Amino acid sequence: QVQLVESGGGLVQAGGSLRLSCSTSARTFSSYAMGWFRQAPGQEREFVASISWNGDHTYYTDSVKGRFAISRDNAKNTVYLQMDSLKPEDTAVYYCAADRRNSFGSTRDRFGYEYWGQGTQVTVSS
């Protein structure tokens, strides 16, 4: 079982920045693609960004392109989501997830991810 722990959420004004982190003690972390998803109240959990096992490939949903950046440090077993120019519509619980089957990181379907963190709240005030 892979346990993922997110941190870095909080309350920020529109236009501000936050950096989310997701860490694990799993030795197999470097072989997994990783993704970030978010879920706003009353809405489905949606794809935000993903990254391949070695960090060479990244993918983003259109609404965050140019504002968010996903990265990873396999030596620290950690994946990051740098969020800049935040908007009120970015308010949600953010989850990190691990994809054991597709290490290229191209999976956008939440059902393609086997392991999930508990989530961290991001609130952007207008």
Side-chain angles (χ1 to χ4, degrees), residues 36-111:
W36 284 98
F37 289 74
R38 64 187 180 187
Q39 187 168 18
Q43 298 189 18
E44 300 249 332
R45 191 170 299 188
E46 66 172 356
F47 171 81
V48 176
S50 60
I51 188 167
S52 61
W53 67 276
N54 60 358
D56 281 357
H57 303 284
T58 58
Y59 304 85
Y60 298 93
T61 192
D62 286 347
S63 63
V64 308
K65 283 181 180 177
R67 300 190 298 122
F68 291 11
I70 188 171
S71 61
R72 67 189 296 160
D73 184 340
N74 286 345
K76 297 182 178 180
N77 282 7
T78 301
V79 62
Y80 304 97
L81 186 67
Q82 177 66 42
M83 305 186 296
D84 298 323
S85 302
L86 281 160
K87 304 176 181 180
E89 51 263 45
D90 294 318
T91 295
V93 177
Y94 283 70
Y95 299 89
C96 72
D99 181 355
R100 181 171 53 90
R101 290 169 290 191
N102 176 12
S103 61
F104 294 103
S106 55
T107 302
R108 294 173 180 251
D109 185 343
R110 67 183 188 270
F111 297 109

Side-chain angles (χ1 to χ4, degrees), residues 7-29:
S7 61
L11 173 64
V12 64
Q13 289 188 334
S17 299
L18 284 173
R19 187 175 83 153
L20 306 183
S21 300
C22 172
S23 299
T24 179
S25 60
R27 297 179 181 179
T28 50
F29 173 81

